[in-house]
Amino acid sequence: MNSLLYNLNKISNPHTLKMTIDDYKSKEKGGKSLKLAFTLLLDLWYIWALIIISAILSLLKPKIKGVLGEKSVSLLLSRLDPKKYKVLNNLLIKVGSKTVQIDHVVVSNYGVFVIETKNYQGWIYGKEYDEYWTQVIYKRKEKFFNPIRQNYGHIQELKEILSDLGNIKFISVVVFTTKADLKVEAKTDVVSTTALVETVKKYNQECLTDEQKEMIFERLISKNINSRKNMKEHVKNVRIHKLNGKK
């Protein structure tokens, strides 16, 4: 009872009453601010989502571009006559202690086509034996390793694992997507995707029998160790070699 009277006297005190009202208003104002901030966060969730997605895409952009370029080439190669051309995409083979990734291999009666795909845009400058080529987009220039040399290395690796199958004709082709304006001087076929099938078909002199073609194809399938785990390990090793200044 005494406690109740004390609280009533405290509330009836004008000074105490003012403090109580001010405290209530302050708490109410703070609560409204928090509620407003929470509402804004909810209303603008899509902006945060876009920021996060943009960050992720910027990290994955090179990989996505590479995959899209290879997929478009795979689609074009699927139009070749399957009786004459047998296509392997995204081949990962182990040669000695290292692995080699090859974008596309086409085993045909006219030879074995080894195709390196580049999904670059802008002007592309380079010559057959240059160590590096140059990509120009407006005033920005970027150098990248000569894909003809890169593909030459792939062919040497294939020769090693197919050495017991006789003398095989290998044909190197470097293909860029249509975003690139090619200003390349080379004897090796360096073409855009629109000219790829035509380029393959221009080789029309048979040099492999159906039996040889099948043996080569089966050998490559048996050597293909492409899996998510192995590809991840391969990419890791490539990055290490680049950091060490090796090709």
Side-chain angles (χ1 to χ4, degrees), residues 125-151:
Y125 291 92
K127 295 181 180 181
E128 183 92 19
Y129 301 107
D130 288 347
E131 186 174 2
Y132 292 95
W133 286 6
T134 304
Q135 175 193 34
V136 180
I137 301 177
Y138 298 108
K139 294 182 180 180
R140 184 167 61 87
K141 294 182 179 181
E142 298 285 344
K143 289 190 178 296
F144 60 98
F145 188 61
N146 183 342
I148 293 177
R149 286 193 173 201
Q150 183 182 359
N151 219 27

Side-chain angles (χ1 to χ4, degrees), residues 16-244:
T16 305
L17 183 60
K18 184 176 183 303
M19 287 179 63
T20 304
I21 293 170
D22 288 345
D23 288 345
Y24 175 77
K25 286 182 177 179
S26 177
K27 289 179 181 178
E28 185 180 30
K29 186 177 179 181
K32 284 182 178 179
S33 297
L34 287 172
K35 185 177 180 181
L36 179 61
F38 184 70
T39 302
L40 284 172
L41 283 173
L42 287 178
D43 289 344
L44 300 177
W45 65 268
Y46 59 91
I47 293 179
W48 294 107
L50 285 173
I51 291 172
I52 293 169
I53 291 170
S54 296
I56 293 172
L57 286 177
S58 66
L59 292 173
L60 297 178
K61 189 176 180 181
K63 185 176 180 181
I64 292 171
K65 284 175 65 179
V67 170
L68 290 175
E70 290 175 22
K71 289 294 183 183
S72 65
V73 171
S74 298
L75 183 62
L76 288 168
L77 294 176
S78 68
R79 299 176 184 174
L80 293 169
D81 183 357
K83 293 179 181 179
K84 292 289 185 181
Y85 304 90
K86 301 178 81 68
V87 180
L88 285 165
N89 299 305
N90 200 19
L91 191 67
L92 184 66
I93 56 176
K94 189 167 185 177
V95 183
S97 60
K98 66 178 181 179
T99 53
V100 179
Q101 188 271 333
I102 304 173
D103 294 337
H104 315 276
V105 176
V106 180
V107 185
S108 76
N109 297 95
Y110 314 104
V112 176
F113 295 87
V114 184
I115 302 171
E116 175 65 25
T117 299
K118 295 297 180 187
N119 192 0
Y120 284 42
Q121 59 181 329
W123 290 342
I124 305 297
Y125 291 92
K127 295 181 180 181
E128 183 92 19
Y129 301 107
D130 288 347
E131 186 174 2
Y132 292 95
W133 286 6
T134 304
Q135 175 193 34
V136 180
I137 301 177
Y138 298 108
K139 294 182 180 180
R140 184 167 61 87
K141 294 182 179 181
E142 298 285 344
K143 289 190 178 296
F144 60 98
F145 188 61
N146 183 342
I148 293 177
R149 286 193 173 201
Q150 183 182 359
N151 219 27
Y152 174 80
H154 294 162
I155 290 173
Q156 299 314 301
E157 307 296 356
L158 289 176
K159 283 182 177 180
E160 185 173 335
I161 65 171
L162 300 172
S163 59
D164 61 319
L165 298 182
N167 187 26
I168 300 170
K169 179 182 179 180
F170 289 92
I171 303 161
S172 178
V173 181
V174 177
V175 57
F176 284 80
T177 59
T178 53
K179 294 178 182 178
D181 186 356
L182 301 176
K183 300 180 182 297
V184 175
E185 298 176 25
K187 291 181 180 179
T188 300
D189 291 305
V190 181
V191 300
S192 67
T193 48
T194 53
L196 177 59
V197 172
E198 180 185 350
T199 299
V200 171
K201 286 184 175 180
K202 79 177 183 180
Y203 294 91
N204 53 19
Q205 186 175 349
E206 292 196 11
C207 56
L208 294 173
T209 65
D210 287 340
E211 184 181 1
Q212 288 174 310
K213 181 178 67 178
E214 195 63 35
M215 287 175 67
I216 294 169
F217 183 72
E218 292 299 328
R219 175 69 61 83
L220 292 178
I221 288 178
S222 69
K223 294 290 184 179
N224 189 11
I225 59 169
N226 193 347
S227 67
R228 182 175 292 182
K229 179 182 177 181
N230 290 338
M231 189 59 76
K232 187 176 181 181
E233 186 66 24
H234 170 75
V235 171
K236 178 183 175 182
N237 290 334
V238 169
R239 286 174 180 168
I240 291 171
H241 278 270
K242 283 184 177 180
L243 288 174
N244 292 334

